[in-house]
Amino acid sequence: MASRRNFAASIGGWSAQHRKTAVFGWLLFVVLAVVIGNMAGSQEITKVDQGVGESRRAAQIIDEAGIKEPAGEMVLVRSDTLPALDARFRAAVDDVINRVNAVQIKGNKGPATEHMRSPYETEGGLSADKHSALIQFDMAGEEDKAVDNIQPVLDAVAEARKAHPDVAIEQFGDASGDKWFEDTIAKDFTRAEWTAVPLALGILLVAFGAVVAALLPVALALTAFVAAGGLLALSSHLMPVGDNAQSVMLLIGLAVGVDYCMFYLRREREERAKGRDPETALRIAAATSGRSVLISGITVMVAMAGLLLSGISEFKSMASATILVVLTAVLGSLTVLPAILSMLGDRVDLGKIPGLAKMRRPTEGSKIWGKILGVVLNRPRATTVLAGGLLVALTIPMFAMKTSELPIDKELPTSLSIVQTYQHIEKAFPGGPAPAQIVVKAQNPDDPKLAAAFDDLRREAVASGRMHEPIEVERQGTTNVFKVSVPLAGSGNDSTSDKALSTLRDKIIPNTLGKLDGVDAPVTGNTAGSKDFNDKLADARLPIFAFVLGFAFLLMLVSFRSIAIAVTAIVLNLLSVGAAYGVMTLVFQHGYGDFLVGTDAPGAVVSWIPMFLFVILFGLSMDYHVFVVSRIREAYDKGMDTKSAVSHGIRTTAGVVTSAATIMVAVFAVFGTLSMQSMKQFGVGLAVAVLLDATIIRGLLLPAVMSLLGDHNWYLPRWLNWLPQMDHGDEAVDVPAPAARPVPAYAGANGYASPSHEPAHPGTTGYDEGVSRSRRIPQPPVG
């Protein structure tokens, strides 16, 4: 079946011929996306959207009742020497209460706090050892505005702390925690995000040795990110966005945007270095690297689409953000990039930096990789065993991976004051910072049987030994909704707390509130939310894996017309993901080398990380795989035998793959320096996987496996011969003229969709008068 000009080549050709239209069209698209996105505004994920299972049902009850939950705050007063009943201790407690009660909302709009509970008037307000007291109150007004009013309260508590140096006074709560995160973690994220940009630019300067060539990929990636941000605001009205969406979008957008531009730019410059005229060089780049960009982008988007099956709002938010930024980066690479390259021509080399690597590299490829490949291709079995064995060894720890939602004292460094305060409260009042909460909706809230059921619940909860006082029952205004606060044994995220939650849900509530007609009593809170999230994630794991692997296989099959290539791609990418999981388990669960990323191992991997990393890594790994295998197939289609084509493809792509991987590893490693444990694990997992993928997988294992398979690499069942042939452009691609390659007896008969096996015509590179031999030789008939 004759090949046709591929879609990427057609788009690139049009853009090169309509340069101004393409460039100004792109700029108009970016501006309109931003303006319309800002006008539409962004719809953020609500508490109801965030929940799953019972936790979501509890949030829905509160939302439907119109209950506005205030931000709760706690002030811990403690002393190692003074008992809580000492006059000086009580004076400190009273001073804190008086100072906090006196705080007004800006503009004298009333008190900043409400529902003050003195520890001396609240059951369980004093610790078991009577050396700590817990003052509890709520911020006035809606929870999302509490952070704006918390600073005067923090100042009042700080003044009380200075006035009473004989006791320790510490504050922790919803609003103070949010403010701390805004002031510290948000700045941490911003620093990391914008450290990544100059870091990528610096690596590009070294890789290309010219200012213009280095600026182009970064400029394209950033404009794609900006445009995608506007599109995300629009799409948020259909699928609300979470707090992490923008950070993930920049991280992935910068990585793929730079990669796609590098692939395209490097191929165009390479063809120019061979002596091609600018138009021909650009046409070849569009047909080859442009096609690789398109396939790679579709693969990343398909992989990320798998998260839409999770049913978890945060996952769906990050999936939509990633899909949009990758789609925008692909669109820019196929349209505005060829137009700009056509405009610039050889001026893309402007601003050459003496001493740095030149963009016009030798056409024969990397000499270092050439030497490595010489060993690999001469000893493919040994290489496969050694490289594959190393990856399998790194994967083994994955099978003992423990996943968990981390409490704040594991999520953040223990040296931080907010973590120390949390630990002090948890030690003095187990379950105090994050008790379980039963949201009770009753048809008849004044029913005496309901009051009796609350008493029974309190008694059975304490008698179980897994819950303790203070168990508080509070009716929400005049509604038919009650909130029951139940402190659980344990830290909130350990097996003790999990057992306590199970006892509460499966035994105590069914034996008390569950016996009443018309009563719904779902349990929420940190422990319950974590349990529900993990259960939902476990249910979604198999569908997501099946979706991602299935579509990736089909995409590779259609793209390369080969069963073996598709299977090899899946297996190799699974190996890189598994190895990354294993390294994460060693570092963050067992503590090997945790000091290298500035942390103490929390003993577990954050529960959402493995699934999220799987879809991202599987998509990103295909970046390099598609690019490298496309070059190998291209050389094979021009007349090379498989072993020579593998060598040629690896060597000629080694430089750009190394540069692109270096940028990805550096960008992801920056996120590994953040304070939050989840971001450390996210960054380290991505960085390790990309590093392994660009070196061991693409440099050693892929060529070794393809060398062992030989012509079996290109096996395609005869009933799939309808798949379109690959198009490599309208000009020859310089490859060394091979010796005559014999036609296997099975070629064209038993399903091997192989191109012509004639020797290259003397004095040519496998093409005659600009027409591919593989297109002149009739392909096996369908069926």
Side-chain angles (χ1 to χ4, degrees), residues 481-501:
V481 177
F482 296 79
K483 290 183 182 178
V484 184
S485 177
V486 183
L488 303 176
S491 66
N493 291 83
D494 57 11
S495 60
T496 302
S497 296
D498 290 340
K499 291 177 182 177
L501 175 66

Side-chain angles (χ1 to χ4, degrees), residues 123 455-471 486-487 504 508:
E123 187 175 2
D455 291 337
D456 292 341
L457 184 145
R458 177 183 285 107
R459 184 175 57 258
E460 289 191 22
V462 174
S464 71
R466 292 179 173 176
M467 286 146 269
H468 55 80
E469 295 286 2
I471 297 176
V486 183
L504 180 62
I508 294 176

Side-chain angles (χ1 to χ4, degrees), residues 328-370:
T328 311
V330 170
L331 180 64
S333 299
L334 298 183
T335 57
V336 70
L337 181 58
I340 293 176
L341 291 178
S342 179
M343 286 180 173
L344 290 174
D346 290 338
R347 286 174 294 181
V348 75
D349 282 333
L350 288 177
K352 290 183 179 179
I353 302 174
L356 293 182
K358 303 302 181 186
M359 198 168 177
R360 295 180 184 273
R361 299 179 185 274
T363 58
E364 66 270 14
S366 169
K367 293 181 179 179
I368 295 177
W369 277 109

Side-chain angles (χ1 to χ4, degrees), residues 312-535:
I312 299 173
S313 56
E314 282 287 350
F315 274 13
K316 293 193 289 186
S317 166
M318 289 187 280
S320 63
T322 306
I323 290 171
L324 285 173
V325 77
V326 173
L327 176 63
T328 311
V330 170
L331 180 64
S333 299
L334 298 183
T335 57
V336 70
L337 181 58
I340 293 176
L341 291 178
S342 179
M343 286 180 173
L344 290 174
D346 290 338
R347 286 174 294 181
V348 75
D349 282 333
L350 288 177
K352 290 183 179 179
I353 302 174
L356 293 182
K358 303 302 181 186
M359 198 168 177
R360 295 180 184 273
R361 299 179 185 274
T363 58
E364 66 270 14
S366 169
K367 293 181 179 179
I368 295 177
W369 277 109
K371 293 180 180 179
I372 295 174
L373 280 170
V375 177
V376 170
L377 296 178
N378 286 331
R379 298 175 176 83
R381 286 185 177 82
T383 302
T384 300
V385 171
L386 291 175
L390 174 60
L391 293 174
V392 170
L394 289 175
T395 300
I396 289 174
M398 175 195 75
F399 296 102
M401 178 188 287
K402 176 184 177 183
T403 60
S404 172
E405 288 295 305
L406 300 181
I408 190 172
D409 57 337
K410 296 291 187 181
E411 179 68 61
L412 297 173
T414 54
S415 60
L416 298 176
S417 59
I418 189 173
V419 173
Q420 293 174 356
T421 300
Y422 176 91
Q423 291 175 328
H424 293 154
I425 295 175
E426 179 60 41
K427 181 179 179 180
F429 301 91
Q437 189 176 80
I438 310 171
V439 177
V440 182
K441 180 180 179 181
Q443 289 182 350
N444 183 7
D446 300 316
D447 187 350
K449 292 182 180 179
L450 181 62
F454 283 138
D455 291 337
D456 292 341
L457 184 145
R458 177 183 285 107
R459 184 175 57 258
E460 289 191 22
V462 174
S464 71
R466 292 179 173 176
M467 286 146 269
H468 55 80
E469 295 286 2
I471 297 176
E472 300 175 346
V473 179
E474 181 183 359
R475 184 173 179 179
Q476 303 302 293
T478 59
T479 68
N480 62 340
V481 177
F482 296 79
K483 290 183 182 178
V484 184
S485 177
V486 183
L488 303 176
S491 66
N493 291 83
D494 57 11
S495 60
T496 302
S497 296
D498 290 340
K499 291 177 182 177
L501 175 66
S502 178
T503 300
L504 180 62
R505 280 180 166 177
D506 302 335
K507 294 182 180 179
I508 294 176
I509 292 178
N511 290 338
T512 55
L513 296 170
K515 291 183 176 181
L516 301 180
D517 294 332
V519 173
D520 189 13
V523 181
T524 185
N526 287 0
T527 304
S530 176
K531 174 71 164 52
D532 294 340
F533 178 88
N534 288 334
D535 289 346

Side-chain angles (χ1 to χ4, degrees), residues 27 33 90 266 294 320 409 411 439 508 595 679 706 779:
L27 293 177
R90 295 194 66 145
R266 174 59 188 272
L294 183 61
S320 63
D409 57 337
E411 179 68 61
V439 177
I508 294 176
F595 65 93
M679 288 297 103
M706 291 191 73
Q779 298 298 308

